[in-house]
Amino acid sequence: MNLTMTKKYILGIDGGSQSSKVVIFDTDGRVVCEASQALEPLYTPEPGVVEHPHDDLYDSIVAAASRAMQAFQGDPADIIGVGLCSIRCCRALTRADGTLVEPVQSWMDERLSKPYEPTNDDVVHVTTTSGYLMGRLTGELTDTIANYIGPWPMDVGTWDWFSDQETFDKYNVSRSMLYRLQMPGDVGGFVNEQFAASTGIPQGLPVVHTANDKAAEALGAGLRDETTGLVSLGTYIAGMIVGKEFVAEPTSFFSNFASEPHRYIYECGGIRRGMWTVSWLRNLLGREITDGAAAAGMTGDDFLNAVASDVPAGSDGLLCVLDWLAPPTKPYKKGMFLGFDERHGYAHMYRSILEGIAFTMKQNMVNMEEERGITIDTLVVSGGGSYSDLCMQIFADVFGIPVVRNEVRNAAGLGAAICVAVACGVYPTFDDASSRMVHREDTFQPNVENIDLYTQLRAVSVDITAQTDAILQRTHRILHDRKGAIAHV
């Protein structure tokens, strides 16, 4: 067969907060095969310290990539490149050769809320997860500009380090400690011998920079203008639209880098430990769920969705506040269920979690729409929660607009593949690549009978914390004072 007629493939790596996923796509954006590897539980040796143990981010990618390559039925020589995206707002401390000095600091680690503080003389470089992983995959100490969100001397408006030295110095890192910056869509290096031997991915393949996982997800979800919104249902739940200009001081959203040069993601307030709350409930219920699922011949998630579908909209008055992980500035915050009575069981709890997520994200997206002066007419929902028809319908009813589910549900890997397709010349532009590689699967239309009910309940839901914060602050103060008293005994 003529080489130009040979089918080509792209490998997308999505390093997430709970697992690493590796997907092999064809150049039309269809999944050929995939594999994932769950991350180890986060290491929390003391309050405020949250780390990825050992070399887990890299090791999990090796494990997932190895299984994906074993499942791949094509010719590895027809893979044209690797796209790399990883979690954001983390910090990796490395030696001169790019290997870790200490475990990677999670985005939930309180050290990420402030500039770097040197505590180990072996640290030569300070970088993000994407920089660290690019170094391990290729040996090149390069990083994508588009993953520098948080405590970094990065000017989001210029896509470069702060030029003002006084501002730069506030972040407590020297330029020599930072990796060399490149744009999303640039080749950061080539698969090295070690990574090739460990995974079966051909040595010498270009590894292409993307951005952080949320921005890559927006690209893979098909966001091209401000009329389409995205809610990413992950460990951190984010709401996004795309734009072309940097907004310096917005009040209801953040201007973050997109996964293509000089475009931006406008991201509204999100939910920390969002879909993790579903896992928490499932694990809390334990045998009650596993036994029920086994009896019904279903998975645990499918069983929960089935029983919750029989619960009426509004969960018979049970409301959920998704504050299972308090922000560092408000440590008193707590997750809550309000409104229990004798009717309520775990099916109500599960549905109220989904409704609480939708209420919160709708309100946050409305705030962003009003500030931007735009109206979203279509919502894409991606991530693990998008597999649930119940969750999709709740979002359609709460948002009151069509809600779309794409063929590729975990879109960050596809966003990484789109970057490779542009970098390797498969498509001339990101617009061309997106139009060819992103495919809609189905659309959920809002149920008009539920729209008004959910609008009224959302108004109640978003007002809960204004009433409960003072109570939680009192409780927090009592327990904090008691802990301090015990420590001094």
Side-chain angles (χ1 to χ4, degrees):
M1 181 182 291
N2 188 293
L3 183 62
T4 59
M5 299 297 292
T6 302
K7 196 173 186 67
K8 300 298 182 182
Y9 305 94
I10 299 170
L11 192 147
I13 295 175
D14 171 16
S17 294
Q18 298 189 72
S19 66
S20 291
K21 296 170 282 291
V22 174
V23 185
I24 298 177
F25 300 92
D26 64 22
T27 53
D28 289 325
R30 257 71 191 220
V31 175
V32 176
C33 60
E34 59 188 316
S36 65
Q37 175 66 37
L39 297 182
E40 295 183 36
L42 290 168
Y43 179 57
T44 55
E46 59 184 89
V49 174
V50 186
E51 299 174 336
H52 290 278
H54 317 301
D55 201 359
D56 193 33
L57 296 182
Y58 175 73
D59 291 342
S60 60
I61 287 175
V62 169
S66 299
R67 290 201 297 275
M69 290 301 297
Q70 290 168 7
F72 180 54
Q73 298 298 306
D75 185 347
D78 292 328
I79 300 175
I80 62 172
V82 178
L84 172 65
C85 74
S86 186
I87 43 179
R88 61 186 178 178
C89 300
C90 299
R91 185 185 283 137
L93 309 176
T94 68
R95 301 180 179 87
D97 65 356
T99 57
L100 285 178
V101 175
E102 300 174 2
V104 172
Q105 298 168 13
S106 162
W107 59 270
M108 291 180 275
D109 195 304
E110 289 185 3
R111 287 172 290 181
L112 270 297
S113 65
K114 53 189 176 182
Y116 168 65
E117 295 180 0
T119 58
N120 191 323
D121 292 340
D122 292 335
V123 175
V124 177
H125 297 290
V126 183
T127 187
T128 69
T129 53
S130 52
Y132 166 64
L133 291 170
M134 181 63 76
R136 293 301 308 272
L137 270 59
T138 70
E140 298 292 334
L141 304 187
T142 66
D143 199 4
T144 173
I145 294 169
N147 199 19
Y148 281 85
I149 299 169
W152 303 98
M154 173 59 66
D155 188 334
V156 182
T158 65
W159 292 63
D160 202 351
W161 305 125
F162 283 116
S163 58
D164 177 68
Q165 192 62 43
E166 183 178 353
T167 303
F168 186 99
D169 290 343
K170 291 178 181 178
Y171 293 85
N172 210 29
V173 290
S174 64
R175 289 180 184 269
S176 64
M177 298 181 75
L178 297 165
Y179 282 19
R180 180 167 59 87
L181 294 178
Q182 292 185 281
M183 284 288 188
D186 285 349
V187 175
F190 300 87
V191 171
N192 62 21
E193 182 179 2
Q194 180 183 3
F195 188 62
S198 299
T199 62
I201 296 173
Q203 185 176 349
L205 279 181
V207 182
V208 177
H209 287 298
T210 62
N212 61 78
D213 54 346
K214 295 300 184 186
E217 188 173 5
L219 179 61
L223 267 64
R224 305 308 302 161
D225 59 52
E226 287 186 285
T227 64
T228 302
L230 170 68
V231 171
S232 166
L233 295 176
T235 305
Y236 178 79
I237 295 176
M240 294 170 271
I241 55 177
V242 297
K244 296 182 179 179
E245 71 269 6
F246 172 64
V247 182
E249 295 183 356
T251 59
S252 61
F253 63 93
F254 304 94
S255 286
N256 292 331
F257 298 112
S259 196
E260 53 187 303
H262 300 295
R263 286 175 67 95
Y264 292 93
I265 298 293
Y266 305 136
E267 184 175 334
C268 67
I271 303 173
R272 295 155 61 89
R273 281 194 178 164
M275 294 309 293
W276 173 95
T277 311
V278 173
S279 302
W280 166 84
L281 178 64
R282 187 177 58 242
N283 294 337
L284 182 69
L285 295 168
R287 289 291 298 273
E288 193 166 1
I289 294 300
T290 55
D291 290 352
M298 299 178 175
T299 66
D301 285 339
D302 287 343
F303 178 71
L304 272 174
N305 281 298
V307 296
S309 294
D310 293 331
V311 174
S315 301
D316 287 325
L318 188 65
L319 296 170
C320 180
V321 176
L322 281 299
D323 278 333
W324 261 254
L325 178 63
T329 56
K330 298 179 180 179
Y332 57 85
K333 289 280 192 180
K334 296 288 184 182
M336 291 179 284
F337 289 98
L338 290 90
F340 278 112
D341 63 38
E342 73 280 358
R343 295 170 298 173
H344 294 122
Y346 60 76
H348 290 80
M349 295 174 67
Y350 174 62
R351 183 174 186 122
S352 71
I353 288 173
L354 299 183
E355 290 175 339
I357 289 170
F359 291 154
T360 301
M361 297 313 300
K362 168 64 174 177
Q363 188 62 48
N364 292 347
M365 295 284 274
V366 164
N367 294 341
M368 178 166 61
E369 288 176 272
E370 290 177 349
E371 185 170 354
R372 290 294 302 159
I374 56 98
T375 300
I376 297 169
D377 56 30
T378 304
L379 182 72
V380 180
V381 174
S382 67
S386 65
Y387 286 86
S388 163
D389 286 0
L390 172 63
C391 185
M392 295 294 294
Q393 190 61 54
I394 287 172
F395 266 88
D397 294 350
V398 169
F399 276 72
I401 57 176
V403 173
V404 170
R405 181 163 61 188
N406 290 340
E407 288 184 10
V408 176
R409 312 284 173 79
N410 293 305
L414 180 56
I418 289 172
C419 286
V420 175
V422 176
C424 295
V426 178
Y427 301 109
T429 68
F430 284 92
D431 283 333
D432 292 319
S434 178
S435 67
R436 289 290 301 275
M437 296 177 72
V438 179
H439 307 283
R440 304 291 193 229
E441 181 173 285
D442 45 21
T443 300
F444 291 76
Q445 298 292 340
N447 183 341
V448 294
E449 295 179 359
N450 293 335
I451 292 175
D452 183 60
L453 171 66
Y454 276 145
T455 299
Q456 294 182 66
L457 289 177
R458 173 167 59 89
V460 176
S461 178
V462 299
D463 193 42
I464 290 173
T465 56
Q467 312 301 320
T468 59
D469 274 1
I471 295 171
L472 293 176
Q473 284 178 296
R474 289 170 62 189
T475 305
H476 177 78
R477 190 159 47 246
I478 291 167
L479 295 175
H480 184 270
D481 291 347
R482 182 175 185 271
K483 186 182 297 184
I486 293 173
H488 287 88
V489 171

